[in-house]
Amino acid sequence: MSTSNSTPKNSIASEQTDHQITGPHHEPPSVANATTYWRCTSCNRESIREQDLYCEAFHAEECEVADRC
């Protein structure tokens, strides 16, 4: 998966923190069924649906981003 650090506008990721939501990331075309995904840099969970990352239940228990959902 890609390591792009683009920040969506009007998102948790726009806040100045070390832990944020990043994306969209694009898998290289060489990956079968390549897709776009978003990542939480605090708990390292990823989803192809951006809205998943804005739900507290999606994140790991100790995730700092989940506290801002």
Side-chain angles (χ1 to χ4, degrees):
M1 294 188 173
S2 173
T3 57
S4 171
N5 288 327
S6 59
T7 303
K9 290 182 179 180
N10 301 322
S11 72
I12 292 173
S14 64
E15 297 176 14
Q16 296 298 320
T17 67
D18 291 336
H19 301 290
Q20 58 188 353
I21 293 171
T22 61
H25 302 285
H26 304 281
E27 293 179 316
S30 59
V31 174
N33 298 318
T35 189
T36 300
Y37 64 96
W38 286 260
R39 176 186 301 124
C40 173
T41 62
S42 180
C43 63
N44 293 316
R45 292 191 178 177
E46 300 174 343
S47 178
I48 60 172
R49 294 186 317 260
E50 181 180 12
Q51 66 269 22
D52 287 351
L53 282 88
Y54 297 95
C55 297
E56 188 175 354
F58 175 82
H59 299 272
E61 187 174 316
E62 67 283 352
C63 180
E64 293 178 26
V65 172
D67 296 338
R68 300 191 310 256
C69 290

